[in-house]
Short mmCIF file of all heavy atoms in Angstrom, two decimals:
data_model
loop_
_atom_site.label_atom_id
_atom_site.label_comp_id
_atom_site.label_asym_id
_atom_site.label_seq_id
_atom_site.Cartn_x
_atom_site.Cartn_y
_atom_site.Cartn_z
N LEU A 1090 4.18 16.08 -2.23
CA LEU A 1090 3.12 15.63 -3.07
C LEU A 1090 2.89 16.66 -4.20
O LEU A 1090 2.66 17.82 -3.95
CB LEU A 1090 1.83 15.39 -2.31
CG LEU A 1090 0.66 14.80 -3.05
CD1 LEU A 1090 0.95 13.37 -3.45
CD2 LEU A 1090 -0.63 14.85 -2.18
N LEU A 1091 2.91 16.19 -5.47
CA LEU A 1091 2.62 17.08 -6.59
C LEU A 1091 1.18 16.95 -7.03
O LEU A 1091 0.57 17.92 -7.46
CB LEU A 1091 3.51 16.68 -7.78
CG LEU A 1091 5.01 16.83 -7.63
CD1 LEU A 1091 5.71 16.46 -8.92
CD2 LEU A 1091 5.40 18.29 -7.23
N TRP A 1092 0.60 15.73 -6.95
CA TRP A 1092 -0.74 15.51 -7.43
C TRP A 1092 -1.32 14.24 -6.81
O TRP A 1092 -0.61 13.28 -6.54
CB TRP A 1092 -0.66 15.36 -8.97
CG TRP A 1092 -2.02 15.05 -9.61
CD1 TRP A 1092 -2.90 15.97 -10.05
CD2 TRP A 1092 -2.54 13.75 -9.87
NE1 TRP A 1092 -3.96 15.28 -10.62
CE2 TRP A 1092 -3.77 13.97 -10.50
CE3 TRP A 1092 -2.07 12.47 -9.67
CZ2 TRP A 1092 -4.58 12.92 -10.91
CZ3 TRP A 1092 -2.89 11.40 -10.06
CH2 TRP A 1092 -4.12 11.63 -10.69
N GLY A 1093 -2.60 14.24 -6.56
CA GLY A 1093 -3.29 13.02 -6.09
C GLY A 1093 -3.21 12.76 -4.63
O GLY A 1093 -3.11 13.73 -3.80
N LYS A 1094 -3.17 11.55 -4.25
CA LYS A 1094 -3.11 11.15 -2.84
C LYS A 1094 -1.66 10.92 -2.42
O LYS A 1094 -0.78 10.62 -3.24
CB LYS A 1094 -3.89 9.81 -2.62
CG LYS A 1094 -5.31 9.84 -3.10
CD LYS A 1094 -6.06 8.53 -2.70
CE LYS A 1094 -5.47 7.33 -3.43
NZ LYS A 1094 -6.24 6.08 -3.19
N PRO A 1095 -1.37 11.07 -1.11
CA PRO A 1095 -0.01 10.81 -0.64
C PRO A 1095 0.29 9.35 -0.39
O PRO A 1095 1.32 8.99 0.26
CB PRO A 1095 0.09 11.62 0.70
CG PRO A 1095 -1.34 11.58 1.20
CD PRO A 1095 -2.21 11.64 -0.02
N TYR A 1096 -0.59 8.47 -0.89
CA TYR A 1096 -0.44 7.03 -0.63
C TYR A 1096 -1.21 6.27 -1.73
O TYR A 1096 -1.99 6.86 -2.51
CB TYR A 1096 -1.03 6.66 0.73
CG TYR A 1096 -2.44 7.07 0.93
CD1 TYR A 1096 -3.49 6.35 0.39
CD2 TYR A 1096 -2.75 8.27 1.58
CE1 TYR A 1096 -4.81 6.73 0.52
CE2 TYR A 1096 -4.09 8.68 1.77
CZ TYR A 1096 -5.11 7.93 1.20
OH TYR A 1096 -6.42 8.32 1.36
N ILE A 1097 -0.91 4.99 -1.81
CA ILE A 1097 -1.79 4.08 -2.53
C ILE A 1097 -2.37 3.08 -1.55
O ILE A 1097 -1.85 2.90 -0.44
CB ILE A 1097 -1.00 3.29 -3.67
CG1 ILE A 1097 0.20 2.54 -3.06
CG2 ILE A 1097 -0.65 4.26 -4.78
CD1 ILE A 1097 0.90 1.69 -4.11
N GLU A 1098 -3.47 2.42 -1.90
CA GLU A 1098 -4.13 1.48 -1.01
C GLU A 1098 -4.11 0.10 -1.64
O GLU A 1098 -4.28 -0.10 -2.82
CB GLU A 1098 -5.59 1.86 -0.77
CG GLU A 1098 -5.74 3.13 0.12
CD GLU A 1098 -7.15 3.33 0.64
OE1 GLU A 1098 -7.97 2.39 0.47
OE2 GLU A 1098 -7.44 4.39 1.19
N ASP A 1099 -3.82 -0.92 -0.78
CA ASP A 1099 -3.78 -2.30 -1.19
C ASP A 1099 -4.56 -3.11 -0.16
O ASP A 1099 -4.80 -2.63 0.99
CB ASP A 1099 -2.35 -2.80 -1.25
CG ASP A 1099 -2.22 -3.98 -2.17
OD1 ASP A 1099 -3.23 -4.42 -2.77
OD2 ASP A 1099 -1.08 -4.56 -2.32
N ILE A 1100 -4.97 -4.29 -0.53
CA ILE A 1100 -5.65 -5.22 0.40
C ILE A 1100 -4.77 -6.45 0.54
O ILE A 1100 -4.44 -7.08 -0.45
CB ILE A 1100 -7.04 -5.61 -0.12
CG1 ILE A 1100 -7.90 -4.36 -0.22
CG2 ILE A 1100 -7.69 -6.61 0.79
CD1 ILE A 1100 -9.23 -4.59 -0.96
N LEU A 1101 -4.40 -6.73 1.80
CA LEU A 1101 -3.47 -7.85 2.11
C LEU A 1101 -4.07 -8.65 3.26
O LEU A 1101 -4.41 -8.07 4.28
CB LEU A 1101 -2.08 -7.28 2.48
CG LEU A 1101 -1.02 -8.30 2.73
CD1 LEU A 1101 -0.55 -8.92 1.41
CD2 LEU A 1101 0.20 -7.62 3.37
N CYS A 1102 -4.22 -9.97 3.09
CA CYS A 1102 -4.75 -10.79 4.12
C CYS A 1102 -6.13 -10.33 4.57
O CYS A 1102 -6.40 -10.35 5.80
CB CYS A 1102 -3.78 -10.95 5.28
SG CYS A 1102 -2.20 -11.69 4.82
N GLY A 1103 -6.93 -9.75 3.69
CA GLY A 1103 -8.22 -9.30 4.05
C GLY A 1103 -8.26 -7.92 4.73
O GLY A 1103 -9.34 -7.44 5.09
N LYS A 1104 -7.11 -7.30 4.89
CA LYS A 1104 -7.02 -5.95 5.58
C LYS A 1104 -6.62 -4.95 4.51
O LYS A 1104 -5.85 -5.20 3.61
CB LYS A 1104 -6.05 -5.99 6.71
CG LYS A 1104 -6.24 -7.10 7.73
CD LYS A 1104 -7.40 -6.75 8.64
CE LYS A 1104 -7.72 -7.92 9.59
NZ LYS A 1104 -6.61 -8.34 10.45
N ARG A 1105 -7.11 -3.68 4.69
CA ARG A 1105 -6.78 -2.62 3.75
C ARG A 1105 -5.64 -1.79 4.34
O ARG A 1105 -5.57 -1.45 5.52
CB ARG A 1105 -8.00 -1.67 3.55
CG ARG A 1105 -7.77 -0.56 2.55
CD ARG A 1105 -9.09 0.13 2.22
NE ARG A 1105 -9.95 -0.67 1.37
CZ ARG A 1105 -9.91 -0.66 0.03
NH1 ARG A 1105 -9.02 0.13 -0.58
NH2 ARG A 1105 -10.72 -1.41 -0.64
N PHE A 1106 -4.64 -1.49 3.46
CA PHE A 1106 -3.45 -0.77 3.90
C PHE A 1106 -3.15 0.45 3.02
O PHE A 1106 -3.29 0.32 1.76
CB PHE A 1106 -2.20 -1.70 3.91
CG PHE A 1106 -2.29 -2.78 4.92
CD1 PHE A 1106 -2.75 -4.07 4.55
CD2 PHE A 1106 -1.91 -2.56 6.25
CE1 PHE A 1106 -2.79 -5.07 5.50
CE2 PHE A 1106 -1.99 -3.56 7.20
CZ PHE A 1106 -2.45 -4.82 6.79
N ARG A 1107 -2.78 1.53 3.66
CA ARG A 1107 -2.28 2.74 2.93
C ARG A 1107 -0.75 2.73 2.98
O ARG A 1107 -0.15 2.57 4.03
CB ARG A 1107 -2.83 4.01 3.58
CG ARG A 1107 -4.35 4.13 3.32
CD ARG A 1107 -4.91 5.38 3.94
NE ARG A 1107 -6.37 5.55 3.61
CZ ARG A 1107 -7.12 6.48 4.11
NH1 ARG A 1107 -6.61 7.38 4.95
NH2 ARG A 1107 -8.41 6.56 3.73
N ILE A 1108 -0.16 2.91 1.81
CA ILE A 1108 1.28 2.78 1.67
C ILE A 1108 1.84 4.09 1.13
O ILE A 1108 1.48 4.53 0.04
CB ILE A 1108 1.64 1.60 0.70
CG1 ILE A 1108 0.93 0.34 1.11
CG2 ILE A 1108 3.13 1.41 0.64
CD1 ILE A 1108 0.59 -0.58 -0.04
N SER A 1109 2.71 4.74 1.88
CA SER A 1109 3.36 5.99 1.45
C SER A 1109 4.71 5.66 0.84
O SER A 1109 5.25 4.58 1.01
CB SER A 1109 3.52 6.92 2.64
OG SER A 1109 4.42 6.38 3.60
N PRO A 1110 5.32 6.66 0.14
CA PRO A 1110 6.60 6.32 -0.56
C PRO A 1110 7.73 5.90 0.40
O PRO A 1110 8.56 5.05 0.02
CB PRO A 1110 6.93 7.68 -1.19
CG PRO A 1110 5.67 8.40 -1.37
CD PRO A 1110 4.83 7.98 -0.18
N MET A 1111 7.78 6.41 1.61
CA MET A 1111 8.89 6.12 2.47
C MET A 1111 8.68 4.84 3.33
O MET A 1111 9.57 4.44 4.06
CB MET A 1111 9.15 7.26 3.44
CG MET A 1111 9.42 8.62 2.76
SD MET A 1111 11.00 8.66 1.91
CE MET A 1111 12.12 8.95 3.28
N SER A 1112 7.55 4.20 3.21
CA SER A 1112 7.21 3.09 4.06
C SER A 1112 7.60 1.76 3.50
O SER A 1112 7.54 1.55 2.26
CB SER A 1112 5.69 3.08 4.34
OG SER A 1112 5.32 4.27 4.99
N PHE A 1113 7.97 0.79 4.38
CA PHE A 1113 8.29 -0.55 3.90
C PHE A 1113 7.00 -1.33 3.63
O PHE A 1113 6.01 -1.29 4.42
CB PHE A 1113 9.07 -1.29 4.96
CG PHE A 1113 9.28 -2.76 4.65
CD1 PHE A 1113 10.23 -3.16 3.75
CD2 PHE A 1113 8.48 -3.72 5.24
CE1 PHE A 1113 10.42 -4.50 3.40
CE2 PHE A 1113 8.65 -5.06 4.92
CZ PHE A 1113 9.61 -5.46 4.01
N TYR A 1114 6.98 -2.04 2.53
CA TYR A 1114 5.90 -2.91 2.21
C TYR A 1114 6.46 -4.06 1.36
O TYR A 1114 7.30 -3.81 0.46
CB TYR A 1114 4.81 -2.15 1.40
CG TYR A 1114 3.51 -2.88 1.14
CD1 TYR A 1114 2.66 -3.14 2.15
CD2 TYR A 1114 3.13 -3.32 -0.15
CE1 TYR A 1114 1.44 -3.81 1.95
CE2 TYR A 1114 1.95 -3.96 -0.37
CZ TYR A 1114 1.10 -4.20 0.69
OH TYR A 1114 -0.08 -4.85 0.43
N GLN A 1115 6.07 -5.27 1.63
CA GLN A 1115 6.66 -6.41 0.91
C GLN A 1115 6.43 -6.27 -0.57
O GLN A 1115 5.36 -5.88 -1.03
CB GLN A 1115 6.02 -7.71 1.39
CG GLN A 1115 6.39 -8.16 2.82
CD GLN A 1115 7.79 -8.74 2.91
OE1 GLN A 1115 8.51 -8.79 1.92
NE2 GLN A 1115 8.15 -9.18 4.10
N VAL A 1116 7.46 -6.61 -1.36
CA VAL A 1116 7.42 -6.37 -2.82
C VAL A 1116 6.61 -7.42 -3.54
O VAL A 1116 6.26 -7.23 -4.74
CB VAL A 1116 8.84 -6.32 -3.41
CG1 VAL A 1116 9.64 -5.19 -2.82
CG2 VAL A 1116 9.58 -7.64 -3.29
N ASN A 1117 6.26 -8.54 -2.89
CA ASN A 1117 5.47 -9.61 -3.52
C ASN A 1117 4.16 -9.76 -2.72
O ASN A 1117 4.16 -10.30 -1.66
CB ASN A 1117 6.30 -10.90 -3.52
CG ASN A 1117 5.57 -12.02 -4.23
OD1 ASN A 1117 4.38 -12.04 -4.42
ND2 ASN A 1117 6.40 -13.03 -4.62
N HIS A 1118 3.10 -9.24 -3.29
CA HIS A 1118 1.81 -9.23 -2.60
C HIS A 1118 1.33 -10.65 -2.26
O HIS A 1118 1.01 -10.95 -1.09
CB HIS A 1118 0.74 -8.52 -3.43
CG HIS A 1118 -0.64 -8.61 -2.91
ND1 HIS A 1118 -1.46 -9.65 -3.13
CD2 HIS A 1118 -1.33 -7.73 -2.08
CE1 HIS A 1118 -2.64 -9.49 -2.53
NE2 HIS A 1118 -2.57 -8.33 -1.88
N ASP A 1119 1.27 -11.54 -3.29
CA ASP A 1119 0.81 -12.88 -3.03
C ASP A 1119 1.72 -13.66 -2.15
O ASP A 1119 1.31 -14.47 -1.31
CB ASP A 1119 0.61 -13.58 -4.36
CG ASP A 1119 -0.52 -12.98 -5.22
OD1 ASP A 1119 -1.21 -12.10 -4.70
OD2 ASP A 1119 -0.68 -13.38 -6.35
N GLY A 1120 3.00 -13.40 -2.31
CA GLY A 1120 4.00 -14.06 -1.42
C GLY A 1120 3.88 -13.58 0.02
O GLY A 1120 4.01 -14.39 0.96
N ALA A 1121 3.52 -12.31 0.19
CA ALA A 1121 3.33 -11.78 1.53
C ALA A 1121 2.14 -12.44 2.20
O ALA A 1121 2.15 -12.77 3.37
CB ALA A 1121 3.20 -10.27 1.51
N GLU A 1122 1.08 -12.60 1.43
CA GLU A 1122 -0.09 -13.29 1.99
C GLU A 1122 0.23 -14.72 2.40
O GLU A 1122 -0.22 -15.19 3.46
CB GLU A 1122 -1.25 -13.29 0.96
CG GLU A 1122 -1.84 -11.93 0.78
CD GLU A 1122 -3.22 -11.99 0.11
OE1 GLU A 1122 -3.42 -12.85 -0.77
OE2 GLU A 1122 -4.08 -11.14 0.48
#
């Protein structure tokens, strides 16, 4: 980490998720819902 948080946060299906660079997360948010 150079700056900021080691993750970003998203909300999917009403749940909050922290996503790090090495983690899998569906590339289409609305499609995933």
